């Protein structure tokens, strides 16, 4: 993946998310493919930590601040791998990152339980959007 080693010159614009004070990049990074385990997995590839870390770091360097995941992506593996990748960022870069995750509609009766599981998989104390 030699293209991932390229340095980006352009930084994305940011905007307020709705009427909140949350500032996010105009382009987000969806992590549905994170946590893929190999040929028998849904996407048919093994999405390694090295690849996830590199993509996340390049995205942040290019100005992406919003990262989207969900409890159902790779059965929680996306949240786990995103959490590990976030820990590779320096403190300044990490402070700029906004995390969004989603709950399955069938789980809405137990939002707290599922949110706490998401927090644990990500290894963070809070999620910006849920």
């Amino acid at each position: 993946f030699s293209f991932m080693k390229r340095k980006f010159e352009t930084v994305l614009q940011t905007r307020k998310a709705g009427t909140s004070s949350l500032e996010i990049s105009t382009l987000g990074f969806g992590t549905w493919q994170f946590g893929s385990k190999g040929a028998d997995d849904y996407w048919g590839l093994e999405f390694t930590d090295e690849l996830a870390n590199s993509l996340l770091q390049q995205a942040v360097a290019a100005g992406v601040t919003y990262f989207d995941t969900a409890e159902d992506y790779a059965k929680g593996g996306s949240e786990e791998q995103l959490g590990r990748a976030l820990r590779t960022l320096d403190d300044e870069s990490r402070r700029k990152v906004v995390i969004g995750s989603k709950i399955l509609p069938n789980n809405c009766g137990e939002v707290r339980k599922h949110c706490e599981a998401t927090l644990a998989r990500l290894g963070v104390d809070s999620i910006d959007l849920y």
Side-chain angles (χ1 to χ4, degrees), residues 17-79:
T19 58
S20 76
S21 61
L22 208 56
E23 188 85 17
I24 60 173
S25 54
T26 55
L27 178 66
F29 187 109
T31 63
W32 48 262
Q33 72 280 30
F34 279 28
S36 295
K37 304 271 190 265
D40 295 330
D41 201 9
Y42 184 85
W43 298 108
L45 74 144
E46 181 179 359
F47 215 85
T48 65
D49 280 354
E50 180 183 4
L51 179 56
N53 297 348
S54 181
L55 289 172
L56 179 97
Q57 290 167 9
Q58 288 293 319
V60 169
V64 175
T65 61
Y66 178 63
F67 293 83
D68 174 77
T69 188
E71 68 176 359
D72 195 42
Y73 297 168
K75 298 178 182 152
S78 172
E79 292 174 334

Side-chain angles (χ1 to χ4, degrees), residues 4 12 18-20 32 37 62-63 75-76 83 95 98 112 121:
M4 289 187 280
L12 295 172
T19 58
S20 76
W32 48 262
K37 304 271 190 265
K75 298 178 182 152
R95 280 191 295 275
V98 175
R112 180 179 295 271
R121 285 188 294 271

Side-chain angles (χ1 to χ4, degrees), residues 10 14 33 39 45 52 60-61 64 66 70 73-74 76 87-88 90 99 115:
T10 305
T14 59
Q33 72 280 30
L45 74 144
V60 169
V64 175
Y66 178 63
Y73 297 168
R87 289 188 284 284
T88 69
D90 61 72
I99 303 169
C115 184

